[in-house]
Amino acid sequence: MDGLFPGEPRVRSSPAPGAVHVPDWLSPDEQRELVAACRAWARGPVPMRHTRLPRGGEMSVQTVCVGWHWRPYAYSRDAPDVNGARVAEFPEWLGALGRRAVADAYRDPAAGAAYAPDTALVNFYDARASMGMHQDKDEQADAPVVSLSVGDTCVFRFGSPHSRGMPYTDLELVSGDLFVFGGPSRFAFHGVPRVLPGTGEPATGLTGGRLNVTLRMTGLE
């Protein structure tokens, strides 16, 4: 399928202060390893599911958590809204990947060394899934959010901390891409209006859909 911006070169960009898009950041091997890890987490101890919202609706993406369990709008070590089990432990290798991501995105080794993510939210988008404009603000720390994409390309909409509406920037996140947002953009509204089916590379181990892994510092003990 044609992308959102056919023919445009894929280069590093900063759609807002503190927000950085780095195309093709994950190697093919790293993408395969991330898919394998996500498959294991999806099986449990707390399985991947469609999160139910407080007003009774259900998110179109499927989610599994590592380190801390997220539910609207709180974190806990166990998952009372799913099966009551404790979520999988946050692995050191994933923290190291997050530190490298921040260092590379900001071109600042010290910022990377100071980054200590303790949770990951893994969202799986099928061809029909989307994510409305929202803020990541349930954490008690304002450290950057690291977003990793594997599988089908998506349209990613990145706005401001002030409103769900315009102005915002639409960009494509392709398999292997890194997006980091912190500083003035840490609480920017963002969302995924649509996924572009059939644009992924089956060699990643994902034959369809999109995986998005977001690393965060909760600030919780």
Side-chain angles (χ1 to χ4, degrees), residues 39-63:
R39 287 191 190 281
W41 294 326
R43 290 191 289 269
V46 178
M48 182 170 273
R49 83 291 180 197
H50 292 279
T51 299
R52 187 165 294 280
L53 299 171
R55 295 184 179 180
E58 202 173 62
M59 295 178 67
S60 61
V61 300
Q62 297 180 67
T63 303

Side-chain angles (χ1 to χ4, degrees), residues 56-151:
E58 202 173 62
M59 295 178 67
S60 61
V61 300
Q62 297 180 67
T63 303
V64 66
C65 303
V66 181
W68 288 87
H69 177 74
W70 176 84
R71 65 188 189 279
Y73 294 94
Y75 284 102
S76 58
R77 289 295 192 184
D78 55 12
D81 59 327
V82 184
N83 62 1
R86 185 181 176 97
V87 297
E89 295 294 324
F90 186 86
E92 171 54 33
W93 65 263
L94 195 56
L97 189 66
R99 288 188 287 277
R100 178 162 66 89
V102 169
D104 289 355
Y106 292 146
R107 294 178 169 139
D108 184 348
Y115 189 58
D118 59 347
T119 191
L121 271 64
V122 180
N123 289 323
F124 176 73
Y125 293 74
D126 64 19
R128 299 176 300 279
S130 62
M131 182 81 72
M133 295 292 277
H134 67 282
Q135 294 171 297
D136 294 344
K137 60 178 184 180
D138 296 324
E139 300 77 28
Q140 295 182 16
D142 59 1
V145 173
V146 169
S147 173
L148 304 168
S149 296
V150 181

Side-chain angles (χ1 to χ4, degrees), residues 18-45:
V20 182
H21 174 215
V22 185
D24 305 316
W25 186 76
L26 289 169
S27 71
D29 283 345
E30 288 172 324
Q31 293 178 59
R32 284 190 287 272
E33 290 165 3
L34 200 55
V35 169
C38 289
R39 287 191 190 281
W41 294 326
R43 290 191 289 269

